[in-house]
Amino acid sequence: MSVKITFVNGDNVQISDETYINAWSSSETVYANHEFHAENVFAGSLKDSQISGVAETVVGLQSILGSADWFNLANAPKKIYKTSAILSLETL
């Protein structure tokens, strides 16, 4: 089973159970110099994670992306997607 992610600009990507996903949230550490960093939310495939116990892949992916600000896919590591640009998730 796979899930199609459609973005507000009309672009889309497909995620299968075996697609390696990195997802993280941006945060500001309150130091004198206000350092910014990314906090890992998820790294792995849906198949190899606790999310695999979820009845539908789209629900597991919704959980991951709903708690992250950014994500990328292993097959396109230099392309980073903003989760707020997601329009829909569709089970294929």
Side-chain angles (χ1 to χ4, degrees), residues 34-55:
H34 296 282
E35 295 177 9
F36 290 88
H37 67 280
E39 293 181 17
N40 186 38
V41 172
F42 181 84
S45 70
L46 300 177
K47 179 181 176 183
D48 298 330
S49 71
Q50 296 175 18
I51 302 297
S52 65
V54 174

Side-chain angles (χ1 to χ4, degrees), residues 14-36:
Q14 287 189 358
I15 309 282
S16 73
D17 288 342
E18 295 161 359
T19 303
Y20 195 90
I21 304 166
N22 289 300
W24 60 93
S25 293
S26 301
S27 65
E28 179 181 2
T29 304
V30 183
Y31 295 119
N33 58 357
H34 296 282
E35 295 177 9
F36 290 88

